[in-house]
Amino acid sequence: MGEQGINVITNIFIIILIFIGLILISYSINISYLYMIAFVPLVLILILGVYIRKKSILHGLNKKFKNEWGEKVDRKRNFKNIRLTFDYIEDETNDEFCIDDQTWSDLTMNEIYTVMDRTITSPGEEMLYKTLRMPLFNEVKLKKRNAIIKLFQNNEQFRNNLGMHLLKLNRVRKNHVPNLLWNDIEVDMKYKTLCRILAILPILIGGALFFTKEYSLLFPLIIVVCVNPYLHMKIKKNIYQYVSCIGYNNAIITAANSISKLNQVEFKEYKDLLSDLSKKVEPILKKSAGIGRIEGMDQTGISDILYMVFLFEENQFFSCINLIKKHQQDLKKLYICIGEIDALLSIASYREGLENYTTPEFTNENGRFEAKNMIHPLVSDAVSNDITMTNRGIILTGSNMSGKSTFLRTIGVNAILAQTIYMTTTSFYRASFFKIMTSISPEDNIMSGKSYYFREAEALLRIIEEGGEDYPLLCIIDEIFRGTNPVERVNASIEILGYLEKHNSLAVVATHDIELTDKLNDSYDMFYFTEDMDKEGLVFDYKLKDGVCRTRNAVKLLKYLKYPNEIIENTNRRIEETISQNSKAEN
C-alpha cells in the first residue's frame, strides 16, 4: 500500500475515533462514568494515529530526499518571497557589493537558481538566493564554504541525518519569519486579558457540565465556543503575519537544537554556533510551546478547531512577543545559519548532477580572467570555449545567432558561480576577484515613458559609476547603444569603452559596429563568432575565433526564410552602394 493510501486510512480512522469519543462522552453524562474507562484508551489511540501519520509523512519525505539527490527539483517558486531575506540583509550591509537587479536579469539568474535549488526549508531557499546575489571577495571564506559542500557530497550518512532534521522543519507556502525578525514589531495588546479569560471558559463550563450534569450550562458553552473562533479570526487579521510564523520560528529553533548534536569535524563551526544560539533563544520555545505546526502534518483539521476554540495561538503570541523582540538579533543569526546549511546542501546536490565542473583559482593579478572549456550551465550539449583576458577587455563581433550573447552570459555566470558557490562549469578557471555588472537586455519601460535608448544609457551609467577602485569591474555589454543612430552610437561607445579601460574595468563587449574594432584595437583584444552555409542553410559552430568578423548574415537569414527575391536583391544592391559611398568618403 502506498503512502497516499496509508494517509487516507489514517484520516478515516481518526474521524471514526472522534465520533466514538463524542458518543462515549454523551453516554457518560447521561448514564455512567464507567464509559469514561473506554474513553481514555480511545484518546491514546487517537494520539497514536496522529503520530503514525506524522511518521508516515516524514518517512515519505526522507525517501524522496534520498531518491532526488543530484536531481533537479521541479516546483513552483515565488521569487518575490524568496528574495525577501536578501533584501533585508542588503539594506543592513549597503556597503557590500551585490549583484544588482539588472545584472541578475541579464544573466537569467532566476533560471540558474531554479536548476540549482534543491533546498528543503524556507530559510534554505532564501539563503541560496542571497548567496548567489552576494559574491565573496575572500578565498578563505569560499574554501570554508566549499569544505561543507564537499562534506555533504561525500558523507551520505551525515547528509541523510541532516536532511531528516531539515525535513521536519520543511518549508511553508508563505514565510513571514523574515518580517518578524527584521522589522520593528508593533502589536496592540488590548486583547491580551480578554483572550486569556475566554480561553479558560470552555474548560471551566465544560468541566462544570460534566460533573454537575446541569444541562443549562450547555447554552453558555455553545456561546463561548462560537465567540472564540470569531475573536480568533478578528485578532488574527491584525497579527496574522506574526502569529502565522511564530510556529515556524519555533520549528527553526527546534531544528537548530537537533542539528547542533550532529558530530563531524568539518561541521564544528556550524554545530557550535547553532548550539550557542539555540540555548539563548530556548525561553521562546517555553513561552510559545505548541504554536508550531509543521505545514501539511495535520490534514484532519483537528488542531485548527482546537486552536480556534481555546485561542491558543493568540495567548501564546501575547506571552512570547516581548521575548522575541529581546532576542531578534539571535533569532536572525539562527535563521541565517539554518538557511546557509540548507543552501549548501542544495549546492552539493546540484554538483552531483553535473558531468563536469571545477573549483576556481583566484589570483592577485589585477584584471585577469582565464577559463578553459567554459560552458553555460543551462545549455544542453553546449560547445565549450577558452578565453584569456589580462587587463585588456575584448570586443566580440560576429553574425546574428552565432553565439555572442550566450558567450557573454557564460562569462558572467561563471564569474558569479566562482565567487559564490566556489565552482565553475569549466575545466580550468583562474581569475581576479571581480565586481560583476552587465548591460545585455535593458527594456523599454512603457509606464515610466523611458525609451530603449534611455534604459541603455541608465544601465551603462550605473556601470560607470560603480567603477573598479577597490576590485576590478567585470562589465559585460551586448550591442552598446543599439537604441540610437549609428553616428552617435559609435562615437559614444568609443568614449565609454575608453573610459572603462582607464578605470580598472575589464569590459567584454559584443557589437555589430566594425568601426569600434578599428578605433579600439590598441586597448582591446578582438574575437568573433561566425557561420557557414550549406544545403540545409546556416550552420553555426559556436567556436570563438581570434580577430574581427567582416561578414554579415542578416540578408542570408532573409533568404533562408524564403523572403521574396525582389527584397533580397534590392537589399544587397543597397548594401553595395552604401559600402562604395563610404569607401569614397574615406579616400
Side-chain angles (χ1 to χ4, degrees), residues 290-323:
I291 292 184
R293 290 179 284 170
I294 300 176
E295 194 164 289
M297 285 297 183
D298 179 16
Q299 297 176 7
T300 64
I302 299 172
S303 60
D304 289 327
I305 295 170
L306 294 176
Y307 275 50
M308 285 192 292
V309 171
F310 295 103
L311 298 173
F312 195 77
E313 286 181 322
E314 287 74 17
N315 280 302
Q316 294 296 81
F317 170 76
F318 288 128
S319 297
C320 72
I321 193 64
N322 287 329
L323 201 55

PDB file of all heavy atoms in Angstrom, residues 290-323:
ATOM      1  N   GLY A 290       3.804  24.806  21.404  1.00  0.00           N
ATOM      2  CA  GLY A 290       2.558  24.333  20.832  1.00  0.00           C
ATOM      3  C   GLY A 290       2.070  25.145  19.650  1.00  0.00           C
ATOM      4  O   GLY A 290       1.221  24.689  18.888  1.00  0.00           O
ATOM      5  N   ILE A 291       2.590  26.358  19.487  1.00  0.00           N
ATOM      6  CA  ILE A 291       2.174  27.144  18.325  1.00  0.00           C
ATOM      7  C   ILE A 291       2.700  26.496  17.050  1.00  0.00           C
ATOM      8  O   ILE A 291       2.044  26.513  16.023  1.00  0.00           O
ATOM      9  CB  ILE A 291       2.675  28.606  18.423  1.00  0.00           C
ATOM     10  CG1 ILE A 291       1.946  29.324  19.557  1.00  0.00           C
ATOM     11  CG2 ILE A 291       2.418  29.355  17.118  1.00  0.00           C
ATOM     12  CD1 ILE A 291       2.287  30.789  19.677  1.00  0.00           C
ATOM     13  N   GLY A 292       3.859  25.899  17.148  1.00  0.00           N
ATOM     14  CA  GLY A 292       4.474  25.317  15.957  1.00  0.00           C
ATOM     15  C   GLY A 292       3.697  24.146  15.409  1.00  0.00           C
ATOM     16  O   GLY A 292       3.471  23.165  16.090  1.00  0.00           O
ATOM     17  N   ARG A 293       3.264  24.261  14.170  1.00  0.00           N
ATOM     18  CA  ARG A 293       2.600  23.163  13.479  1.00  0.00           C
ATOM     19  C   ARG A 293       3.262  23.008  12.129  1.00  0.00           C
ATOM     20  O   ARG A 293       3.247  23.933  11.327  1.00  0.00           O
ATOM     21  CB  ARG A 293       1.105  23.449  13.299  1.00  0.00           C
ATOM     22  CG  ARG A 293       0.315  23.401  14.583  1.00  0.00           C
ATOM     23  CD  ARG A 293      -1.140  23.722  14.323  1.00  0.00           C
ATOM     24  NE  ARG A 293      -1.344  25.150  14.113  1.00  0.00           N
ATOM     25  CZ  ARG A 293      -2.484  25.674  13.687  1.00  0.00           C
ATOM     26  NH1 ARG A 293      -3.502  24.901  13.407  1.00  0.00           N
ATOM     27  NH2 ARG A 293      -2.615  26.981  13.542  1.00  0.00           N
ATOM     28  N   ILE A 294       3.836  21.849  11.891  1.00  0.00           N
ATOM     29  CA  ILE A 294       4.516  21.645  10.614  1.00  0.00           C
ATOM     30  C   ILE A 294       3.481  21.587   9.513  1.00  0.00           C
ATOM     31  O   ILE A 294       2.527  20.824   9.576  1.00  0.00           O
ATOM     32  CB  ILE A 294       5.348  20.346  10.636  1.00  0.00           C
ATOM     33  CG1 ILE A 294       6.402  20.421  11.746  1.00  0.00           C
ATOM     34  CG2 ILE A 294       6.004  20.105   9.295  1.00  0.00           C
ATOM     35  CD1 ILE A 294       7.202  19.162  11.891  1.00  0.00           C
ATOM     36  N   GLU A 295       3.681  22.424   8.501  1.00  0.00           N
ATOM     37  CA  GLU A 295       2.700  22.533   7.427  1.00  0.00           C
ATOM     38  C   GLU A 295       2.509  21.202   6.725  1.00  0.00           C
ATOM     39  O   GLU A 295       3.443  20.550   6.320  1.00  0.00           O
ATOM     40  CB  GLU A 295       3.160  23.588   6.416  1.00  0.00           C
ATOM     41  CG  GLU A 295       2.068  23.997   5.469  1.00  0.00           C
ATOM     42  CD  GLU A 295       2.424  25.286   4.770  1.00  0.00           C
ATOM     43  OE1 GLU A 295       2.425  26.341   5.426  1.00  0.00           O
ATOM     44  OE2 GLU A 295       2.696  25.232   3.565  1.00  0.00           O
ATOM     45  N   GLY A 296       1.255  20.774   6.627  1.00  0.00           N
ATOM     46  CA  GLY A 296       0.937  19.532   5.940  1.00  0.00           C
ATOM     47  C   GLY A 296       0.902  18.322   6.847  1.00  0.00           C
ATOM     48  O   GLY A 296       0.481  17.245   6.441  1.00  0.00           O
ATOM     49  N   MET A 297       1.356  18.472   8.123  1.00  0.00           N
ATOM     50  CA  MET A 297       1.391  17.328   9.024  1.00  0.00           C
ATOM     51  C   MET A 297       0.005  16.958   9.553  1.00  0.00           C
ATOM     52  O   MET A 297      -0.284  15.809   9.821  1.00  0.00           O
ATOM     53  CB  MET A 297       2.339  17.601  10.202  1.00  0.00           C
ATOM     54  CG  MET A 297       3.791  17.519   9.826  1.00  0.00           C
ATOM     55  SD  MET A 297       4.228  15.869   9.276  1.00  0.00           S
ATOM     56  CE  MET A 297       5.967  16.071   8.988  1.00  0.00           C
ATOM     57  N   ASP A 298      -0.869  17.933   9.780  1.00  0.00           N
ATOM     58  CA  ASP A 298      -2.205  17.653  10.288  1.00  0.00           C
ATOM     59  C   ASP A 298      -3.231  18.061   9.238  1.00  0.00           C
ATOM     60  O   ASP A 298      -3.585  19.219   9.125  1.00  0.00           O
ATOM     61  CB  ASP A 298      -2.453  18.403  11.601  1.00  0.00           C
ATOM     62  CG  ASP A 298      -3.865  18.140  12.138  1.00  0.00           C
ATOM     63  OD1 ASP A 298      -4.505  17.173  11.675  1.00  0.00           O
ATOM     64  OD2 ASP A 298      -4.321  18.914  12.999  1.00  0.00           O
ATOM     65  N   GLN A 299      -3.683  17.083   8.466  1.00  0.00           N
ATOM     66  CA  GLN A 299      -4.673  17.358   7.432  1.00  0.00           C
ATOM     67  C   GLN A 299      -6.080  16.989   7.889  1.00  0.00           C
ATOM     68  O   GLN A 299      -7.017  16.973   7.110  1.00  0.00           O
ATOM     69  CB  GLN A 299      -4.305  16.605   6.150  1.00  0.00           C
ATOM     70  CG  GLN A 299      -2.967  17.069   5.584  1.00  0.00           C
ATOM     71  CD  GLN A 299      -2.539  16.274   4.368  1.00  0.00           C
ATOM     72  OE1 GLN A 299      -3.288  15.453   3.854  1.00  0.00           O
ATOM     73  NE2 GLN A 299      -1.328  16.506   3.903  1.00  0.00           N
ATOM     74  N   THR A 300      -6.231  16.638   9.164  1.00  0.00           N
ATOM     75  CA  THR A 300      -7.546  16.285   9.695  1.00  0.00           C
ATOM     76  C   THR A 300      -8.339  17.517  10.099  1.00  0.00           C
ATOM     77  O   THR A 300      -9.553  17.465  10.236  1.00  0.00           O
ATOM     78  CB  THR A 300      -7.393  15.381  10.928  1.00  0.00           C
ATOM     79  OG1 THR A 300      -6.735  16.116  11.966  1.00  0.00           O
ATOM     80  CG2 THR A 300      -6.567  14.143  10.596  1.00  0.00           C
ATOM     81  N   GLY A 301      -7.659  18.649  10.357  1.00  0.00           N
ATOM     82  CA  GLY A 301      -8.333  19.863  10.791  1.00  0.00           C
ATOM     83  C   GLY A 301      -8.569  19.904  12.286  1.00  0.00           C
ATOM     84  O   GLY A 301      -9.121  20.885  12.803  1.00  0.00           O
ATOM     85  N   ILE A 302      -8.150  18.867  13.033  1.00  0.00           N
ATOM     86  CA  ILE A 302      -8.392  18.822  14.477  1.00  0.00           C
ATOM     87  C   ILE A 302      -7.678  19.966  15.178  1.00  0.00           C
ATOM     88  O   ILE A 302      -8.262  20.680  16.007  1.00  0.00           O
ATOM     89  CB  ILE A 302      -7.916  17.471  15.064  1.00  0.00           C
ATOM     90  CG1 ILE A 302      -8.695  16.330  14.427  1.00  0.00           C
ATOM     91  CG2 ILE A 302      -8.080  17.455  16.583  1.00  0.00           C
ATOM     92  CD1 ILE A 302      -8.169  14.962  14.794  1.00  0.00           C
ATOM     93  N   SER A 303      -6.406  20.142  14.847  1.00  0.00           N
ATOM     94  CA  SER A 303      -5.630  21.175  15.536  1.00  0.00           C
ATOM     95  C   SER A 303      -6.196  22.565  15.256  1.00  0.00           C
ATOM     96  O   SER A 303      -6.230  23.421  16.150  1.00  0.00           O
ATOM     97  CB  SER A 303      -4.161  21.098  15.115  1.00  0.00           C
ATOM     98  OG  SER A 303      -4.031  21.292  13.726  1.00  0.00           O
ATOM     99  N   ASP A 304      -6.671  22.802  14.024  1.00  0.00           N
ATOM    100  CA  ASP A 304      -7.249  24.113  13.698  1.00  0.00           C
ATOM    101  C   ASP A 304      -8.466  24.408  14.577  1.00  0.00           C
ATOM    102  O   ASP A 304      -8.637  25.526  15.064  1.00  0.00           O
ATOM    103  CB  ASP A 304      -7.657  24.161  12.218  1.00  0.00           C
ATOM    104  CG  ASP A 304      -6.451  24.201  11.298  1.00  0.00           C
ATOM    105  OD1 ASP A 304      -5.428  24.792  11.682  1.00  0.00           O
ATOM    106  OD2 ASP A 304      -6.525  23.632  10.192  1.00  0.00           O
ATOM    107  N   ILE A 305      -9.319  23.413  14.756  1.00  0.00           N
ATOM    108  CA  ILE A 305     -10.518  23.595  15.591  1.00  0.00           C
ATOM    109  C   ILE A 305     -10.140  23.891  17.027  1.00  0.00           C
ATOM    110  O   ILE A 305     -10.663  24.821  17.659  1.00  0.00           O
ATOM    111  CB  ILE A 305     -11.414  22.341  15.503  1.00  0.00           C
ATOM    112  CG1 ILE A 305     -11.952  22.179  14.083  1.00  0.00           C
ATOM    113  CG2 ILE A 305     -12.571  22.435  16.504  1.00  0.00           C
ATOM    114  CD1 ILE A 305     -12.650  20.855  13.840  1.00  0.00           C
ATOM    115  N   LEU A 306      -9.222  23.108  17.564  1.00  0.00           N
ATOM    116  CA  LEU A 306      -8.808  23.304  18.961  1.00  0.00           C
ATOM    117  C   LEU A 306      -8.151  24.668  19.160  1.00  0.00           C
ATOM    118  O   LEU A 306      -8.380  25.336  20.170  1.00  0.00           O
ATOM    119  CB  LEU A 306      -7.849  22.182  19.380  1.00  0.00           C
ATOM    120  CG  LEU A 306      -8.452  20.772  19.449  1.00  0.00           C
ATOM    121  CD1 LEU A 306      -7.374  19.748  19.771  1.00  0.00           C
ATOM    122  CD2 LEU A 306      -9.561  20.706  20.493  1.00  0.00           C
ATOM    123  N   TYR A 307      -7.321  25.077  18.187  1.00  0.00           N
ATOM    124  CA  TYR A 307      -6.632  26.365  18.302  1.00  0.00           C
ATOM    125  C   TYR A 307      -7.633  27.525  18.307  1.00  0.00           C
ATOM    126  O   TYR A 307      -7.441  28.513  19.015  1.00  0.00           O
ATOM    127  CB  TYR A 307      -5.637  26.545  17.152  1.00  0.00           C
ATOM    128  CG  TYR A 307      -4.288  25.918  17.412  1.00  0.00           C
ATOM    129  CD1 TYR A 307      -4.185  24.600  17.843  1.00  0.00           C
ATOM    130  CD2 TYR A 307      -3.112  26.624  17.216  1.00  0.00           C
ATOM    131  CE1 TYR A 307      -2.966  24.016  18.081  1.00  0.00           C
ATOM    132  CE2 TYR A 307      -1.872  26.053  17.443  1.00  0.00           C
ATOM    133  CZ  TYR A 307      -1.808  24.745  17.881  1.00  0.00           C
ATOM    134  OH  TYR A 307      -0.600  24.172  18.115  1.00  0.00           O
ATOM    135  N   MET A 308      -8.711  27.392  17.524  1.00  0.00           N
ATOM    136  CA  MET A 308      -9.723  28.448  17.485  1.00  0.00           C
ATOM    137  C   MET A 308     -10.549  28.490  18.764  1.00  0.00           C
ATOM    138  O   MET A 308     -10.810  29.554  19.320  1.00  0.00           O
ATOM    139  CB  MET A 308     -10.637  28.248  16.268  1.00  0.00           C
ATOM    140  CG  MET A 308     -10.010  28.633  14.946  1.00  0.00           C
ATOM    141  SD  MET A 308     -11.213  28.709  13.589  1.00  0.00           S
ATOM    142  CE  MET A 308     -11.644  26.984  13.436  1.00  0.00           C
ATOM    143  N   VAL A 309     -10.974  27.320  19.248  1.00  0.00           N
ATOM    144  CA  VAL A 309     -11.852  27.258  20.428  1.00  0.00           C
ATOM    145  C   VAL A 309     -11.132  27.746  21.677  1.00  0.00           C
ATOM    146  O   VAL A 309     -11.708  28.458  22.509  1.00  0.00           O
ATOM    147  CB  VAL A 309     -12.385  25.829  20.634  1.00  0.00           C
ATOM    148  CG1 VAL A 309     -13.105  25.702  21.984  1.00  0.00           C
ATOM    149  CG2 VAL A 309     -13.333  25.452  19.497  1.00  0.00           C
ATOM    150  N   PHE A 310      -9.861  27.394  21.803  1.00  0.00           N
ATOM    151  CA  PHE A 310      -9.123  27.740  23.024  1.00  0.00           C
ATOM    152  C   PHE A 310      -8.172  28.923  22.841  1.00  0.00           C
ATOM    153  O   PHE A 310      -7.372  29.216  23.731  1.00  0.00           O
ATOM    154  CB  PHE A 310      -8.347  26.512  23.528  1.00  0.00           C
ATOM    155  CG  PHE A 310      -9.231  25.387  23.966  1.00  0.00           C
ATOM    156  CD1 PHE A 310      -9.421  24.282  23.156  1.00  0.00           C
ATOM    157  CD2 PHE A 310      -9.899  25.448  25.181  1.00  0.00           C
ATOM    158  CE1 PHE A 310     -10.247  23.249  23.548  1.00  0.00           C
ATOM    159  CE2 PHE A 310     -10.728  24.413  25.586  1.00  0.00           C
ATOM    160  CZ  PHE A 310     -10.907  23.311  24.772  1.00  0.00           C
ATOM    161  N   LEU A 311      -8.273  29.617  21.671  1.00  0.00           N
ATOM    162  CA  LEU A 311      -7.457  30.814  21.401  1.00  0.00           C
ATOM    163  C   LEU A 311      -5.989  30.587  21.750  1.00  0.00           C
ATOM    164  O   LEU A 311      -5.309  31.434  22.327  1.00  0.00           O
ATOM    165  CB  LEU A 311      -8.009  32.013  22.192  1.00  0.00           C
ATOM    166  CG  LEU A 311      -9.441  32.430  21.848  1.00  0.00           C
ATOM    167  CD1 LEU A 311      -9.917  33.510  22.818  1.00  0.00           C
ATOM    168  CD2 LEU A 311      -9.533  32.929  20.413  1.00  0.00           C
ATOM    169  N   PHE A 312      -5.524  29.419  21.371  1.00  0.00           N
ATOM    170  CA  PHE A 312      -4.191  29.005  21.793  1.00  0.00           C
ATOM    171  C   PHE A 312      -3.104  29.885  21.197  1.00  0.00           C
ATOM    172  O   PHE A 312      -2.200  30.360  21.902  1.00  0.00           O
ATOM    173  CB  PHE A 312      -3.968  27.536  21.393  1.00  0.00           C
ATOM    174  CG  PHE A 312      -2.805  26.903  22.081  1.00  0.00           C
ATOM    175  CD1 PHE A 312      -2.897  26.482  23.395  1.00  0.00           C
ATOM    176  CD2 PHE A 312      -1.603  26.740  21.420  1.00  0.00           C
ATOM    177  CE1 PHE A 312      -1.815  25.898  24.038  1.00  0.00           C
ATOM    178  CE2 PHE A 312      -0.520  26.163  22.049  1.00  0.00           C
ATOM    179  CZ  PHE A 312      -0.629  25.732  23.362  1.00  0.00           C
ATOM    180  N   GLU A 313      -3.171  30.115  19.889  1.00  0.00           N
ATOM    181  CA  GLU A 313      -2.124  30.907  19.222  1.00  0.00           C
ATOM    182  C   GLU A 313      -2.083  32.330  19.757  1.00  0.00           C
ATOM    183  O   GLU A 313      -0.999  32.887  19.974  1.00  0.00           O
ATOM    184  CB  GLU A 313      -2.368  30.932  17.709  1.00  0.00           C
ATOM    185  CG  GLU A 313      -2.041  29.627  17.027  1.00  0.00           C
ATOM    186  CD  GLU A 313      -2.273  29.698  15.538  1.00  0.00           C
ATOM    187  OE1 GLU A 313      -3.238  30.330  15.111  1.00  0.00           O
ATOM    188  OE2 GLU A 313      -1.469  29.096  14.792  1.00  0.00           O
ATOM    189  N   GLU A 314      -3.250  32.919  19.986  1.00  0.00           N
ATOM    190  CA  GLU A 314      -3.300  34.304  20.449  1.00  0.00           C
ATOM    191  C   GLU A 314      -2.647  34.451  21.820  1.00  0.00           C
ATOM    192  O   GLU A 314      -1.834  35.362  22.045  1.00  0.00           O
ATOM    193  CB  GLU A 314      -4.752  34.790  20.499  1.00  0.00           C
ATOM    194  CG  GLU A 314      -5.383  35.055  19.136  1.00  0.00           C
ATOM    195  CD  GLU A 314      -5.725  33.792  18.375  1.00  0.00           C
ATOM    196  OE1 GLU A 314      -5.782  32.703  19.002  1.00  0.00           O
ATOM    197  OE2 GLU A 314      -5.925  33.867  17.172  1.00  0.00           O
ATOM    198  N   ASN A 315      -3.000  33.549  22.733  1.00  0.00           N
ATOM    199  CA  ASN A 315      -2.445  33.636  24.085  1.00  0.00           C
ATOM    200  C   ASN A 315      -0.943  33.376  24.099  1.00  0.00           C
ATOM    201  O   ASN A 315      -0.194  34.060  24.815  1.00  0.00           O
ATOM    202  CB  ASN A 315      -3.158  32.649  25.009  1.00  0.00           C
ATOM    203  CG  ASN A 315      -4.502  33.172  25.482  1.00  0.00           C
ATOM    204  OD1 ASN A 315      -4.593  34.227  26.100  1.00  0.00           O
ATOM    205  ND2 ASN A 315      -5.568  32.450  25.166  1.00  0.00           N
ATOM    206  N   GLN A 316      -0.511  32.408  23.316  1.00  0.00           N
ATOM    207  CA  GLN A 316       0.920  32.134  23.248  1.00  0.00           C
ATOM    208  C   GLN A 316       1.664  33.306  22.611  1.00  0.00           C
ATOM    209  O   GLN A 316       2.774  33.645  23.011  1.00  0.00           O
ATOM    210  CB  GLN A 316       1.175  30.850  22.450  1.00  0.00           C
ATOM    211  CG  GLN A 316       0.631  29.601  23.120  1.00  0.00           C
ATOM    212  CD  GLN A 316       1.318  29.318  24.438  1.00  0.00           C
ATOM    213  OE1 GLN A 316       0.969  29.925  25.461  1.00  0.00           O
ATOM    214  NE2 GLN A 316       2.278  28.430  24.445  1.00  0.00           N
ATOM    215  N   PHE A 317       1.031  33.924  21.625  1.00  0.00           N
ATOM    216  CA  PHE A 317       1.644  35.069  20.955  1.00  0.00           C
ATOM    217  C   PHE A 317       1.848  36.225  21.939  1.00  0.00           C
ATOM    218  O   PHE A 317       2.937  36.797  22.023  1.00  0.00           O
ATOM    219  CB  PHE A 317       0.764  35.533  19.793  1.00  0.00           C
ATOM    220  CG  PHE A 317       1.197  36.843  19.206  1.00  0.00           C
ATOM    221  CD1 PHE A 317       2.294  36.928  18.374  1.00  0.00           C
ATOM    222  CD2 PHE A 317       0.502  38.009  19.496  1.00  0.00           C
ATOM    223  CE1 PHE A 317       2.693  38.135  17.833  1.00  0.00           C
ATOM    224  CE2 PHE A 317       0.892  39.226  18.956  1.00  0.00           C
ATOM    225  CZ  PHE A 317       1.989  39.277  18.119  1.00  0.00           C
ATOM    226  N   PHE A 318       0.801  36.576  22.688  1.00  0.00           N
ATOM    227  CA  PHE A 318       0.920  37.678  23.644  1.00  0.00           C
ATOM    228  C   PHE A 318       1.948  37.360  24.731  1.00  0.00           C
ATOM    229  O   PHE A 318       2.577  38.270  25.282  1.00  0.00           O
ATOM    230  CB  PHE A 318      -0.445  37.974  24.279  1.00  0.00           C
ATOM    231  CG  PHE A 318      -1.417  38.632  23.342  1.00  0.00           C
ATOM    232  CD1 PHE A 318      -2.699  38.115  23.156  1.00  0.00           C
ATOM    233  CD2 PHE A 318      -1.060  39.760  22.632  1.00  0.00           C
ATOM    234  CE1 PHE A 318      -3.593  38.718  22.283  1.00  0.00           C
ATOM    235  CE2 PHE A 318      -1.956  40.376  21.749  1.00  0.00           C
ATOM    236  CZ  PHE A 318      -3.220  39.846  21.581  1.00  0.00           C
ATOM    237  N   SER A 319       2.136  36.079  25.025  1.00  0.00           N
ATOM    238  CA  SER A 319       3.091  35.685  26.068  1.00  0.00           C
ATOM    239  C   SER A 319       4.535  35.795  25.607  1.00  0.00           C
ATOM    240  O   SER A 319       5.430  36.099  26.398  1.00  0.00           O
ATOM    241  CB  SER A 319       2.815  34.242  26.512  1.00  0.00           C
ATOM    242  OG  SER A 319       1.546  34.120  27.086  1.00  0.00           O
ATOM    243  N   CYS A 320       4.767  35.534  24.311  1.00  0.00           N
ATOM    244  CA  CYS A 320       6.166  35.408  23.861  1.00  0.00           C
ATOM    245  C   CYS A 320       6.663  36.579  23.026  1.00  0.00           C
ATOM    246  O   CYS A 320       7.858  36.656  22.744  1.00  0.00           O
ATOM    247  CB  CYS A 320       6.336  34.110  23.068  1.00  0.00           C
ATOM    248  SG  CYS A 320       5.559  34.148  21.433  1.00  0.00           S
ATOM    249  N   ILE A 321       5.782  37.496  22.628  1.00  0.00           N
ATOM    250  CA  ILE A 321       6.200  38.509  21.660  1.00  0.00           C
ATOM    251  C   ILE A 321       7.298  39.417  22.195  1.00  0.00           C
ATOM    252  O   ILE A 321       8.227  39.788  21.474  1.00  0.00           O
ATOM    253  CB  ILE A 321       4.985  39.342  21.171  1.00  0.00           C
ATOM    254  CG1 ILE A 321       5.371  40.172  19.947  1.00  0.00           C
ATOM    255  CG2 ILE A 321       4.429  40.209  22.286  1.00  0.00           C
ATOM    256  CD1 ILE A 321       5.749  39.349  18.751  1.00  0.00           C
ATOM    257  N   ASN A 322       7.229  39.782  23.470  1.00  0.00           N
ATOM    258  CA  ASN A 322       8.278  40.634  24.046  1.00  0.00           C
ATOM    259  C   ASN A 322       9.619  39.903  24.113  1.00  0.00           C
ATOM    260  O   ASN A 322      10.682  40.504  23.942  1.00  0.00           O
ATOM    261  CB  ASN A 322       7.864  41.107  25.435  1.00  0.00           C
ATOM    262  CG  ASN A 322       6.773  42.157  25.379  1.00  0.00           C
ATOM    263  OD1 ASN A 322       6.690  42.932  24.433  1.00  0.00           O
ATOM    264  ND2 ASN A 322       5.909  42.179  26.381  1.00  0.00           N
ATOM    265  N   LEU A 323       9.543  38.596  24.346  1.00  0.00           N
ATOM    266  CA  LEU A 323      10.767  37.794  24.392  1.00  0.00           C
ATOM    267  C   LEU A 323      11.388  37.695  22.991  1.00  0.00           C
ATOM    268  O   LEU A 323      12.617  37.724  22.843  1.00  0.00           O
ATOM    269  CB  LEU A 323      10.437  36.398  24.926  1.00  0.00           C
ATOM    270  CG  LEU A 323      11.591  35.577  25.525  1.00  0.00           C
ATOM    271  CD1 LEU A 323      12.304  36.348  26.630  1.00  0.00           C
ATOM    272  CD2 LEU A 323      11.058  34.253  26.054  1.00  0.00           C
TER     273      LEU A 323
END
